[in-house]
Amino acid sequence: MRRAFITGVNGQDGSYLAEYLLRKGYEVHGLIRRTSSFNRGRIEHLHTYEGDKGLILHYGDLIDASNLFHLLRKIDPHEIYHLAAQSHVGISFETPLSTTNIIALGTLRLLEAIRSLDLSETKIYNASTSELYGNTTQCPQNEDTPFMATSPYAIAKLYGHKICENYRDAYEMKIWNGIFFNHESPRRGENFVTRKITISIAKMLQKKQDKLYMGNLDVIRDWGYAPDYVEAMWQMLQTDKPDNYVIATGVGHSVRQFIECAFEYVDIPISWKGKGINEKGYGLLRHSKQKKILVEINPRYNRPIEVNRLIGDSTKARKTFGWRPKTTFKELVKIMLEEDIKREETTCKFLG
Ligand code: NAP
Ligand code: GDD
């Protein structure tokens, strides 16, 4: 039986990847942090996955080098998926030191533990990111596009990306960097833009929220569906040569388009008036008689530096291991909204 070890198993991607590997018959081990209250909603169901042994959890932390060393010695995994991170770009401006410690030094701690244990046959996936491209003028971005990282998060990830390449070259370690563009799902953290929009709309329909307060509406992202993307992590580790791969849909949409598409799905067309921080989105909610302001700008959600446009070209992944996205932008919006609407309706039922 193949053994996999996932850092960040409790996150969006970690939870889908754990499911995917369990389905493939892997023995799956995951690293979780100790928290004062339980936050394992995404992986709770995996403990008894289809009656099998299920996911095996280990306490640990990327800031604790000896913990990583002892765990890896015990588990001796065939594959390591390194996903753990403080993954919010905006928040990285507020917490640059801990973000850098977890992402940059955390990756180095993991690599050093693997090297010290001489796990030379272990394959390693490193969660790199499209944020490395920053405000490059090249579009779409591929594996050869120069990096222009513009946030503490992206700069820490750039270190992680580069140290993985360095250990690959220097010690012949089997490390793949997945340069993933934004990917979302009903399990996406609540303060990422897509999930914030779908949760807010679901709450508005239940009269539990009046407005959606947003930052920059005109940035463009290449949004895919997370379960499609975790498949690419596994697929690249099955190729012969460790390398870097861009994973993206190749289609960009603005935050504004995401908002419009999500509101349209619940039959509320949005019309925009005003400019800059005074711009407002108007629409008619089912329970109101006249159009109201449903979207407003709040500058607190702007970042000190914005990454304006990320659109990826994943031709290399398609040619090498046949990966392509299965879910369209519209389908993604629908999947996320339906799930959040269901969740809000259920909560309302319980509240009476
Ligand atoms: P996520 O939902 O934020 O999950 C991150 C996970 O890392 C969480 O389980 C978190 O644990 C864990 N973690 C944070 N600090 C840790 C520490 N010090 N020690 C151990 N674990 C720690 O992120 P995601 O969306 O699944 O993304 C997975 C990875 O891909 C991240 O590295 C992210 O930067 C990268 N990435 C994501 C995207 C995307 O669009 N989703 C795109 C490109 C790259 P808690 O649950 O305890 O907080
Ligand atoms: N979060 C958030 N909240 N973002 C907003 C808001 C808001 O209210 N209003 C506008 N935005 C804009 C952000 O400024 C950003 O340009 C865009 O929406 C997307 O923001 P996020 O959803 O927070 O994601 P991200 O693109 O910054 O980062 C995600 O994708 C990266 C890959 O490109 C994260 O998952 C990173 O971990 C990942 O590396």
Side-chain angles (χ1 to χ4, degrees):
M1 188 186 245
R2 291 188 73 72
R3 283 181 304 283
F5 177 61
I6 305 175
T7 73
V9 73
N10 204 26
Q12 169 188 258
D13 290 6
S15 66
Y16 285 119
L17 179 67
E19 270 170 17
Y20 181 77
L21 295 176
L22 285 168
R23 271 200 306 272
K24 284 200 167 292
Y26 277 66
E27 180 179 295
V28 184
H29 297 256
L31 183 76
I32 45 155
R33 295 191 286 182
R34 187 265 162 182
T35 48
S36 67
S37 46
F38 263 44
N39 64 348
R40 298 192 202 152
R42 295 185 181 113
I43 52 172
E44 231 152 28
H45 62 294
L46 296 177
H47 288 296
T48 52
Y49 192 80
E50 285 177 3
D52 288 342
K53 200 160 143 211
L55 176 62
I56 303 159
L57 296 175
H58 305 269
Y59 279 113
D61 201 301
L62 281 182
I63 62 172
D64 188 333
S66 88
N67 161 268
L68 294 171
F69 180 89
H70 290 296
L71 279 180
L72 289 174
R73 185 166 61 182
K74 193 163 78 179
I75 299 165
D76 187 17
H78 299 94
E79 292 172 11
I80 295 174
Y81 294 87
H82 175 40
L83 313 181
Q86 189 300 94
S87 71
H88 199 287
V89 176
I91 293 172
S92 79
F93 285 98
E94 289 166 45
T95 59
L97 290 168
S98 58
T99 300
T100 305
N101 191 0
I102 296 167
I103 296 179
L105 292 180
T107 303
L108 181 58
R109 288 183 192 103
L110 185 72
L111 295 181
E112 273 296 280
I114 297 165
R115 190 169 77 89
S116 314
L117 288 162
D118 201 18
L119 300 178
S120 52
E121 288 310 304
T122 302
K123 295 176 165 191
I124 303 144
Y125 171 83
N126 177 52
S128 197
T129 168
S130 51
E131 276 289 306
L132 300 192
Y133 298 119
N135 279 317
T136 177
T137 49
Q138 193 175 314
C139 192
Q141 296 95 37
N142 63 26
E143 292 79 2
D144 299 321
T145 306
F147 298 139
M148 293 177 64
T150 54
S151 65
Y153 166 83
I155 292 165
K157 280 280 182 186
L158 180 58
Y159 177 87
H161 182 98
K162 286 284 174 195
I163 199 70
C164 282
E165 285 185 338
N166 183 242
Y167 273 47
R168 186 204 281 164
D169 295 341
Y171 306 119
E172 294 182 6
M173 283 168 68
K174 296 180 173 152
I175 311 175
W176 281 255
N177 276 317
I179 308 173
F180 278 34
F181 283 63
N182 299 49
H183 45 281
E184 320 291 312
S185 75
R187 293 188 200 168
R188 183 59 142 153
E190 289 88 343
N191 56 0
F192 292 93
V193 76
T194 56
R195 189 76 201 292
K196 174 173 167 176
I197 295 166
T198 57
I199 291 179
S200 297
I201 294 178
K203 285 188 188 295
M204 284 175 178
L205 295 178
Q206 295 294 333
K207 300 190 206 170
K208 287 198 276 183
Q209 187 174 325
D210 296 332
K211 279 179 204 166
L212 171 58
Y213 291 97
M214 299 297 305
N216 192 330
L217 298 177
D218 294 314
V219 289
I220 292 172
R221 289 291 182 274
D222 177 335
W223 281 296
Y225 183 42
D228 294 349
Y229 283 47
V230 299
E231 211 170 325
M233 296 176 187
W234 178 81
Q235 284 177 331
M236 68 181 77
L237 260 58
Q238 312 315 309
T239 60
D240 293 333
K241 192 175 153 286
D243 208 339
N244 302 332
Y245 288 101
V246 161
I247 297 296
T249 70
V251 185
H253 289 92
S254 64
V255 169
R256 185 189 301 281
Q257 285 173 318
F258 194 103
I259 294 173
E260 288 170 355
C261 181
F263 272 107
E264 254 161 44
Y265 183 72
V266 291
D267 287 330
I268 305 174
I270 292 290
S271 50
W272 302 96
K273 282 187 191 141
K275 283 226 151 56
I277 59 165
N278 297 317
E279 183 166 15
K280 294 178 177 33
Y282 294 80
L284 183 65
L285 286 170
R286 274 174 226 151
H287 51 264
S288 41
K289 292 197 177 73
Q290 61 196 41
K291 276 192 176 183
K292 283 191 171 152
I293 299 171
L294 301 184
V295 188
E296 246 184 65
I297 306 299
N298 185 335
R300 77 179 278 237
Y301 296 113
N302 289 339
R303 293 168 184 182
I305 304 179
E306 184 57 272
V307 171
N308 295 314
R309 183 179 59 169
L310 293 174
I311 302 174
D313 170 7
S314 53
T315 306
K316 182 173 164 186
R318 194 176 66 241
K319 286 192 175 156
T320 314
F321 50 89
W323 183 85
R324 56 185 75 212
K326 296 178 189 140
T327 314
T328 65
F329 174 75
K330 270 196 163 176
E331 285 164 351
L332 170 70
V333 174
K334 177 174 181 286
I335 291 168
M336 292 181 70
L337 251 182
E338 282 185 348
E339 195 68 25
D340 279 325
I341 289 172
K342 203 163 46 178
R343 233 179 296 222
E344 281 305 322
E345 282 173 354
T346 316
T347 322
C348 278
K349 237 181 254 165
F350 280 128
L351 292 173

